[in-house]
Amino acid sequence: MWISVTLQAEARKAEALSDALMEAGALSVSIEDADAGTEAEKPQFGEPGHLPVGLWDHSRVLALFDADGDIAVALAQAAAEAGFDAVPPFTLEEVAEQNWVQLTQSQFDPIQINERMWIVPSWHEAPNPDAINIELDPGMAFGTGSHPTTSLCLGWLCDNVQPGTKVLDYGCGSGILGIAAARLGAGDVLGIDIDDKALEAAQDNAHRNGVSLRLQHSREPLDATFDVVVANILTNPLCVLAPALAARVAPGGRIALSGVLDTQTEQVIAAYAPFLELRVGATREGWVRLEGFRPAETGGVR
């Protein structure tokens, strides 16, 4: 048995209180928006090196304690350490022992991308056996199909991958986009990532789905061009990589970029303008998919 404690705290003190609770014996601590679910909710988005400036004005600190511990003493100690005159308002809730694996699995249902494709956790039956069903479980590497950017890219691949298409998935994470491309009939799929663990996850997921992916670390040189290039990462690396990614698009080829917030659209379009013209292809929940096309080379007699 555990006890979950929820405390109200101002943004400027929430992080200090969180650290103090851990020092006082909390098993885990998290900070949430106390206004979540109301009109005052304030979503926060961040990227490596460009994290949100501060927490929510009205923050909620959740701490989990062992039921056998002296929670009152721990709260008093943490509050004093964090600079509170007294323990802030809080509520207690018992947390019974559960089958945590089963509970976690229950939170992940099959995800329909479109009429052609589903993402199905291994513990579920495929809702449509006739569709392209990609078996993928939540794991360390990014990409389970649930995030809007992943879904946007999967839908684009369904429209642009033909039998024999040569595909580059830059920032492959779990390998979901490369696996989808292979299941759609791509002739050659290369996945690239900066994280060795992601490459291992992508290899395992490809094997589970009965497809073959070529995988390599981003530090390795890449000179080939591809019919389809897809990159679902973040705005800053997308901008830095603009010359390199644009150069990987073969004549007559297409590129899709996501991981871009709608407020960052013009920034990314400007970064690629010297190399390729991008346009907004689709949006979902504040995220954007940008698309570009490199015209086929034409020759002739002068």
Side-chain angles (χ1 to χ4, degrees), residues 97-111:
E97 292 191 31
Q98 302 184 55
N99 183 330
W100 294 107
V101 171
Q102 186 178 56
L103 180 63
T104 300
Q105 289 181 348
S106 70
Q107 298 173 5
F108 294 92
D109 292 324
I111 299 168

Side-chain angles (χ1 to χ4, degrees), residues 112-184:
Q112 185 174 18
I113 303 304
N114 52 33
E115 292 183 357
R116 299 180 63 191
M117 182 176 291
W118 286 78
I119 309 301
V120 185
S122 59
W123 53 85
H124 278 283
E125 292 292 329
N128 179 5
D130 296 328
I132 296 174
N133 292 294
I134 299 175
E135 181 181 312
L136 200 71
D137 295 340
M140 292 178 63
F142 177 79
T144 63
S146 60
H147 196 276
T149 61
T150 308
S151 182
L152 284 169
C153 290
L154 287 168
W156 184 82
L157 288 172
C158 286
D159 293 335
N160 288 278
V161 173
Q162 306 296 327
T165 299
K166 188 176 180 182
V167 177
L168 171 63
D169 175 12
Y170 200 98
C172 62
S174 68
I176 185 171
L177 299 182
I179 293 168
R183 292 291 306 277
L184 287 163

Side-chain angles (χ1 to χ4, degrees), residues 120-250:
V120 185
S122 59
W123 53 85
H124 278 283
E125 292 292 329
N128 179 5
D130 296 328
I132 296 174
N133 292 294
I134 299 175
E135 181 181 312
L136 200 71
D137 295 340
M140 292 178 63
F142 177 79
T144 63
S146 60
H147 196 276
T149 61
T150 308
S151 182
L152 284 169
C153 290
L154 287 168
W156 184 82
L157 288 172
C158 286
D159 293 335
N160 288 278
V161 173
Q162 306 296 327
T165 299
K166 188 176 180 182
V167 177
L168 171 63
D169 175 12
Y170 200 98
C172 62
S174 68
I176 185 171
L177 299 182
I179 293 168
R183 292 291 306 277
L184 287 163
D188 177 45
V189 182
L190 173 63
I192 293 180
D193 206 282
I194 196 172
D195 186 348
D196 288 326
K197 292 294 184 183
L199 294 172
E200 292 175 11
Q203 186 63 67
D204 290 343
N205 288 328
H207 179 74
R208 289 170 60 185
N209 283 276
V211 299
S212 177
L213 302 183
R214 292 191 298 119
L215 297 164
Q216 72 178 53
H217 197 280
S218 58
R219 62 173 168 262
E220 298 179 32
L222 178 63
D223 298 322
T225 58
F226 300 81
D227 305 311
V228 164
V229 175
V230 61
N232 181 25
I233 40 181
L234 291 169
T235 289
N236 287 336
L238 282 175
C239 290
V240 171
L241 290 165
L245 288 181
R248 304 282 68 81
V249 183

Side-chain angles (χ1 to χ4, degrees), residues 152-153 155-156 159-160 229 231 238 253-262 264-273 275-283 287-294:
L152 284 169
C153 290
W156 184 82
D159 293 335
N160 288 278
V229 175
L238 282 175
R254 299 181 181 277
I255 185 171
L257 309 175
S258 199
V260 180
L261 291 168
D262 54 8
Q264 301 167 328
T265 300
E266 294 306 320
Q267 177 186 348
V268 180
I269 289 176
Y272 281 77
F275 317 103
L276 283 173
E277 180 180 349
L278 297 180
R279 65 175 183 85
V280 175
T283 62
W287 297 92
V288 174
R289 183 183 72 218
L290 297 174
E291 303 172 8
F293 171 73
R294 184 179 298 285

